[in-house]
Structure formats: C-alpha cells, structure tokens
Amino acid sequence: MNWPRREGVGHMRFGVLGALVLATDGGELTLSAPKLRSVLSLLLVNSNHVTQSASLIDELWSDKPPMSAVTTLQTYVYQLRRILGDAESGADRMLVTRSAGYEGRIPPEAIDLCHFENLAKQGSDALLAGEPLRASEVLREALDLWRGPALIDVPRGQLLEAQAIMMEENRLNALEMRIDADLQLRRHREVISELKGLIAGNPLSEAFYSRLMRALYLSNRRDEALEAYRKLHRTLAAELGLEPSRPIQQLHHALLADDPASEDPTLAEPGEPHESTTLVAPRQPPPPAELPPDIGDFVGRGVALKQIRDALEATEGGQATRIVGITGMPGVGKSVLAAHIGHQIRTRFDGGQLWINLGGSTLNRADPGDVLASVLRTVGFDDGSIPRSTDERARLFRTWSASRKLLVFLDDAFGALQVRPLLPTGPESAVIITSRLPIYGLGASEIVHLAGFDMMEGMELLARIAGRDRVAREPQSAQEIVTMCDGLPLGIRISGERLAVARHWTITRFAKRFADEENRLAELSCGDSDLRSRFHHTFHGLDEEASHVLRLLAAHRRCVTADTVASMAGIGAANAERLLSHLASAGLVIVSENGIDGPFLYRVPELAGLYATELAGTRPKGGPQFDLGVMTSWSGLPKGEAELQPVTHTQEATDV
C-alpha cells in the first residue's frame, strides 16, 4: 500500500486493486463478514458520492432481499463506523448518512483506485504530448498499484461486478499505453515476452497482437511477426467467425512488403526520423454541437435544475467524469429538461456536445458498438481507423476523450451495460443520462427523479401554448384539464396544442370531451406527439407480475397500502413491496405517506391508469390492442441488454 497521503486527513488507506485492504500505520485490518466487505467496497468505488440504500440492498441480496434488509444494512454501516472509529479519529465524517443512502467521504489519495486513475491520466496526457519516457514511467507506477484482479476476495453482485469489469478495462488501457510508450522508446525486445503472456490470457485481443507484431519486426524477427498474424487470423475465425480488423490487416500487408513504416512511423529503422504516434483523429472537424433545440415555453423544474447544476459543480476539480441521471415516467419531460440545462451550461465544455439517443424504452435499443462507430466518425476518425470490436472502439473513444471537456447526453438509456462503453474519461467532462428507470453502478453524482407538474406549473404551460387570455377566461376548466392529465407535461402540452389549433373551441368544451375516460388517450394525440405510444413501450417492458399489479391498482382507482396490494394480487407482502418499488422507480406508481408512522400509500397516475385499463379491456381506442391473456405473455418477451439495434446517435430528443 504505497501511495501518497495528504497531511491532515489521517493515516488510513484503502485498497481495491486486488484483495480488499484497510491499512493504517499500525498494520492491516481484517473484515471477516463477506457482506461487510461488499458494503465497504461499494462505498469505496463510489467514494465522495451518495450510494443509495436501494443500490446497497440490491448488491447484497439481488432480487430477494429479506424483510429485515434495511435494518441489516444499517447494522453493517454501524459496524463499519465502529471499525473505522477504532483505527481513525473522525470516522463519523468518513461515513456520512444521507437521505437516500450513505456517502464515503474519503480523500482520493487514500484509495489506490483514485491514485491509479490519476497516474493513468498523467500517462495518457504525456503520451499524447509526445513524451514517451515520462508516459512509460508514470504508467508503470500506476500499474504497480495492482495486486491482483480487482476486489478478488469480495463477493460481487451486479454493481460490484460491473465496477470490477470497468477497473480491469482501465488497467488494460493503461497497459496498452505503457507498451506504446516503450515501443516509441525502442524497448521492443523487452516487451516481447510480456506481450506473449498477455496474448495467452487474452487470445482475442487484436490490440496485443498488433503490438507484438511491431515489437517482433523491430527486433528483426519478421517471420515471427507474420506468424503472430496468422495465429490471430486462425483464432478469430475459429472462435468468432471473423476476419482481423482493417488496421491490423494493413499492418500485415506492410510487413509482407517489408515496409511497415508506411503504416506506422514508429516502425522506421532505428535512427531514422519519425513522428510520435498519438491517438488523435486523422482530421480535425469542429467540435460536435448536437444539442437539440431548446423550447421557448419551458416551464418550472427549478428544483431539478438546481440539483443538476449542484451535482456538476460539486465534483469539479476531481478525477472522475461527472455523471447525472434523470428518471421518470413517459412524457414527464426528461429529455426536454436535459436539453434545456445543456444549453445553459454548454459554454463550459469547449470539447463539444454529443447527443445520443439509445432507444432504451423501445424494442430497437441502440448497440453501443454501433453508437461508438458513429461518434468516432463524427469526431474525425475514418472508417479504416475505427476498430471492429466494441471493446476496442470504447478504448479508442476513452483515449480520444481523456483530454477533452465534453458534454455527453445519453438519452433514453436502458442499462449500465449499454451506457458504460459510451462514457468519456476526461475529468472535466460531464454526462447527463435520461432513463425511465434509475441506472445503478455508474457512480452517478446525482439521480434526479421527475414527477408531474403541480397545478401552478401545469396552468402556466397550458397558458403559454393555448393562450393566456383563454385560460384566464376559463380557469376552472383549465384546472380540470391539468388535473385529468395528472400534471404530466406531455399530456398538458398536447392538450394546449389541440386548443391552439382549434381556436373556435372553448376550453370548457374541450374539458368535457377530455372527461370521457374511454376517449381521453385518443384526445392526447397531435401530430407526432402521441402519449399512448410512450406508454405502450414502457408497459411492454414490464414482467408478468409487475403488469398484473399495475392493472389491479389501475382498476382499484384509490390509494392502497402494500398489504392491500399483496392481498389483491395473492402474493407475499415483501414481493408486493418489491414490485411497487419497481413501478414507483419507473414513475408508474405514485407513493405518498400515510401519517408519520403509517404505511406508504400507492396509486397509479391518471393517464397511466387509463392506459392500464385499456390493456385489461378488449378494444382500446386506437393504437395497440391487448387483452389480459396477451398481457400474461409479456414476461416471455426479450428484455435483456442483448436487444440492441443500430441507431443514429444524433437523433432528436424523444421525450417531453
């Protein structure tokens, strides 16, 4: 455990790059309980950010938490505080309770992971600046911090497993950069045996094969370099049915012609002048500016805007990319809010803005590899320099983005596996993710959940679209429309647009038509704005149990407790609470308190309830038609991260 300590922050150090380590000047401390190690590990990899209690519970017990999960988690946190307190004064300040969970307030220099990331960034910058000697030294120091696979002795659930994979990817990226620096320094003979060992452990890695071919050629072993290519060709064909990528094929052709310097200047004969190899785009287009237009009638969201700004500003100056999530039900305005604040802060990001529609709420979810190829083309890479595999594309994007100040929007995201390859690595970059469900495991600084507008905001939006004079003349009918929309911005917007088109209608007349529940969703269709289609995609993604509970709640039309839902659905109370929590996270159920000590009350929002009622019937008014028998088949539909389709990353904002 050998990394710097800052004066005044104590002497405790934490290690996750290998086995979990807690070390003080007096020696190492041992945590014997496996779940206690898991809790500490998640707090460490998410240090100085709030880790939600729900995330910790999911990590410890997956989808089967015990009834005592919250109490047990509190016990683990108490034990950690006691252990830290025995070794370090001010332990209460190191592990802070927040409203949504817990925050490990640990200086970055006290965690080996943070020290590694800092050194890797310095090494990347040095390599890009044409300083291979400094790059090699700094990257070696970074890699020496690794004591084995990350968190090797910690039981890993979904979140920690994702973090361990990401850490291993960063280690391999640093290792590749260090080898590149050594090749530039003509240390080709020293890296040959290392590369052969790396290929044995990563037999499909074109990155290691290409570097081995270069090292062998520079060592006057061209026949072995050509044999390395043939081995790669055989392995890819046998394992994946693929040909090697175009860049390594070009290197192979250059080796056959005994003219590899034409493909890579670092392969010129020793003593010949050559330019430093850097991973920059072959052409330099202007920085991307892909934000969709802001809307002129933006209303409200003052609290959410402040949350996002505070989260982005609170982490400035750190080594981690700033990430903010925006969640909520269909039509609540996630994408519009993201675009609005993007226009407010875009001048702080001179590297440009990328807007990527991931289609997470549809059956055409974007494949991250296809998205990366599109992004790399946008920033200047030609097709020949874009690798074939998603992993290689992600590494190239991370290297390109490391020294830039980017503002990246990942709109309508599905899950962490779809999002993670698209995250930039620059500490001055920021990412805003919109999704209908919270996405855990990304180390987000803040997750902002959007609800519907209150009456004042809803009336203001309706007045801006339909006309202030009309709303002022018929305020009661206008309020009825906002109420029947349950404050949902998209519903209010479509109502206002229909009124704006039908100038001869009174608001009262529209409100009376709107009061007909059988036709209300049909009324909420104007041009390409259609609320029913938004609900269709979200409801389509629910499993059988969740959709059954949602239909029961919609039919009940009142606030009920989890025990009532359990009785109605014929399921256990714990299972009912789990399903209700999932539906609430998707914005399909509203939760309210029933007194100070009373149980929570649950209800379905007005328009979502109408759509659920349509699905439970036989003939919805327009759009997809379902009955209860069809509903029970939903759980058999593919909903995994493999449901990914190509999508153009510059599509406009899709949510209102």
Side-chain angles (χ1 to χ4, degrees):
M1 302 285 287
N2 183 26
W3 62 90
R5 297 196 306 268
R6 188 177 63 191
E7 293 300 323
V9 298
H11 302 285
M12 181 165 285
R13 283 96 65 202
F14 303 87
V16 296
L17 303 181
L20 178 65
V21 173
L22 286 75
T24 67
D25 290 344
E28 294 187 4
L29 304 178
T30 301
L31 296 181
S32 57
K35 282 187 167 53
L36 197 60
R37 296 203 301 273
S38 297
V39 172
L40 177 60
S41 298
L42 200 55
L43 292 170
L44 287 174
V45 299
N46 199 30
S47 63
N48 298 299
H49 297 86
V50 175
T51 302
Q52 295 187 333
S53 297
S55 300
L56 289 161
I57 290 173
D58 286 346
E59 177 65 26
L60 295 177
W61 294 286
S62 187
D63 59 348
K64 296 181 180 179
M67 292 291 292
S68 60
V70 174
T71 304
T72 305
L73 174 61
Q74 291 170 346
T75 301
Y76 288 140
V77 173
Y78 168 76
Q79 291 175 344
L80 280 177
R81 282 201 175 103
R82 184 168 54 82
I83 292 169
L84 296 175
D86 289 343
E88 186 86 26
S89 61
D92 288 342
R93 296 193 300 273
M94 295 178 68
L95 187 50
V96 181
T97 301
R98 300 298 189 193
S99 58
Y102 302 94
E103 178 183 356
R105 302 188 66 179
I106 302 168
E109 57 268 34
I111 307 175
D112 61 355
L113 173 62
C114 297
H115 189 42
F116 166 78
E117 291 174 342
N118 180 45
L119 290 171
K121 174 64 167 56
Q122 293 179 34
S124 174
D125 290 345
L127 190 60
L128 289 169
E131 302 175 9
L133 181 58
R134 170 166 168 72
S136 177
E137 292 173 348
V138 173
L139 290 166
R140 283 180 189 278
E141 185 180 353
L143 292 165
D144 285 345
L145 293 171
W146 284 76
R147 296 165 284 107
L151 299 172
I152 188 173
D153 62 340
V154 176
R156 298 200 293 264
Q158 183 177 3
L159 301 183
L160 279 179
E161 182 65 27
Q163 290 288 343
I165 291 172
M166 184 167 60
M167 286 188 277
E168 175 62 17
E169 287 294 322
N170 290 336
R171 184 188 73 84
L172 290 175
N173 190 42
L175 182 57
E176 289 175 12
M177 289 191 294
R178 198 227 77 214
I179 293 172
D180 286 340
D182 285 345
L183 287 174
Q184 290 185 33
L185 293 168
R186 299 294 170 179
R187 296 171 179 171
H188 36 275
R189 291 183 177 85
E190 291 91 324
V191 301
I192 290 175
S193 60
E194 180 183 14
L195 283 165
K196 288 182 176 180
L198 289 169
I199 287 172
N202 302 270
L204 300 177
S205 173
E206 291 190 356
F208 291 141
Y209 268 103
S210 65
R211 288 163 175 82
L212 176 61
M213 290 165 65
R214 289 173 168 87
L216 288 169
Y217 175 82
L218 288 170
S219 302
N220 296 319
R221 295 158 66 175
R222 184 163 67 113
D223 57 333
E224 294 181 54
L226 294 171
E227 175 56 32
Y229 176 82
R230 289 191 288 270
K231 181 180 178 182
L232 171 64
H233 190 281
R234 292 193 300 268
T235 303
L236 289 177
E239 296 293 331
L240 303 175
L242 295 176
E243 293 285 325
S245 65
R246 183 175 173 183
I248 201 168
Q249 288 186 38
Q250 291 174 332
L251 175 61
H252 176 237
H253 293 154
L255 291 175
L256 287 171
D258 200 17
D259 185 24
S262 64
E263 295 296 329
D264 185 346
T266 62
L267 295 181
E269 289 299 321
E272 293 183 15
H274 64 272
E275 297 179 359
S276 174
T277 301
T278 58
L279 286 174
V280 297
R283 56 184 174 87
Q284 294 297 322
E290 297 179 346
L291 273 175
D294 201 359
I295 58 174
D297 52 22
F298 186 88
V299 170
R301 301 301 190 201
V303 173
L305 288 168
K306 185 177 186 303
Q307 279 182 276
I308 296 170
R309 286 196 201 93
D310 289 348
L312 295 178
E313 292 171 0
T315 52
E316 284 186 344
Q319 292 300 314
T321 302
R322 293 157 281 166
I323 302 174
V324 172
I326 304 174
T327 68
M329 70 182 297
V332 80
K334 304 179 290 293
S335 302
V336 167
L337 174 63
H340 183 71
I341 196 167
H343 283 280
Q344 293 181 346
I345 65 175
R346 63 180 179 177
T347 56
R348 292 159 49 185
F349 299 90
D350 55 18
Q353 314 99 43
L354 293 168
W355 184 280
I356 304 170
N357 186 336
L358 295 175
S361 63
T362 73
L363 295 180
N364 295 316
R365 294 173 186 145
D367 178 81
D370 294 322
V371 171
L372 282 167
S374 180
V375 170
L376 291 169
R377 291 187 195 100
T378 296
V379 301
F381 290 88
D382 57 40
D383 288 340
S385 61
I386 297 176
R388 281 191 176 187
S389 72
T390 299
D391 177 64
E392 291 293 328
R393 290 173 180 178
R395 292 183 189 182
L396 182 58
F397 175 64
R398 289 199 297 266
T399 303
W400 175 83
S401 65
S403 59
R404 289 172 168 82
K405 297 172 69 173
L406 289 172
L407 182 57
V408 178
F409 295 85
L410 302 177
D411 189 38
D412 194 15
F414 176 67
L417 293 181
Q418 186 191 37
V419 166
R420 191 170 292 110
L422 310 176
L423 299 177
T425 55
E428 295 185 281
S429 292
V431 180
I432 297 178
I433 303 170
T434 72
S435 60
R436 294 186 180 177
L437 282 169
I439 298 177
Y440 301 115
L442 300 176
S445 308
E446 187 77 41
I447 297 179
V448 178
H449 183 78
L450 294 187
F453 281 158
D454 60 26
M455 181 57 70
M456 183 179 298
E457 292 172 328
M459 290 285 283
E460 175 64 21
L461 179 59
L462 189 64
R464 291 190 182 189
I465 300 172
R468 291 192 182 279
D469 291 343
R470 297 171 75 185
V471 170
R473 285 194 300 268
E474 302 175 87
Q476 184 174 350
S477 296
Q479 290 180 14
E480 290 174 1
I481 292 173
V482 173
T483 300
M484 286 187 285
C485 289
D486 224 352
L488 194 65
L490 181 57
I492 299 170
R493 177 175 296 281
I494 295 174
S495 300
E497 289 173 349
R498 296 204 64 188
L499 284 167
V501 171
R503 301 296 300 179
H504 57 287
W505 281 17
T506 64
I507 294 180
T508 300
R509 178 178 178 177
F510 181 79
K512 287 179 179 178
R513 288 172 58 96
F514 205 54
D516 182 358
E517 292 186 350
E518 290 189 2
N519 293 296
R520 189 177 303 165
L521 288 174
E523 296 288 343
L524 291 176
S525 177
C526 184
D528 60 356
S529 297
D530 180 11
L531 189 59
R532 183 185 276 113
S533 66
R534 306 288 179 86
F535 283 134
H536 168 65
H537 291 306
T538 298
F539 279 60
H540 210 69
L542 297 175
D543 62 24
E544 182 179 346
E545 279 191 310
S547 62
H548 179 57
V549 166
L550 189 61
R551 295 197 309 276
L552 290 174
L553 272 177
H556 204 66
R557 303 298 292 269
R558 294 198 306 271
C559 292
V560 297
T561 64
D563 288 340
T564 301
V565 172
S567 177
M568 292 163 54
I571 58 178
N575 196 22
E577 287 188 354
R578 178 183 64 82
L579 292 169
L580 288 166
S581 176
H582 176 75
L583 291 169
S585 296
L588 297 175
V589 165
I590 295 175
V591 187
S592 57
E593 294 184 3
N594 183 21
I596 297 177
D597 298 318
F600 290 114
L601 297 177
Y602 302 89
R603 73 173 178 89
V604 180
E606 184 79 11
L607 298 177
L610 291 179
Y611 187 75
T613 303
E614 281 191 2
L615 293 179
T618 55
R619 284 289 173 187
K621 302 294 184 179
Q625 298 181 3
F626 299 96
D627 58 28
L628 290 180
V630 176
M631 286 286 291
T632 59
S633 71
W634 283 7
S635 61
L637 289 171
K639 290 182 285 293
E641 301 257 12
E643 292 180 62
L644 303 174
Q645 301 294 331
V647 67
T648 303
H649 78 279
T650 54
Q651 289 179 1
E652 295 289 322
T654 57
D655 197 5
V656 174

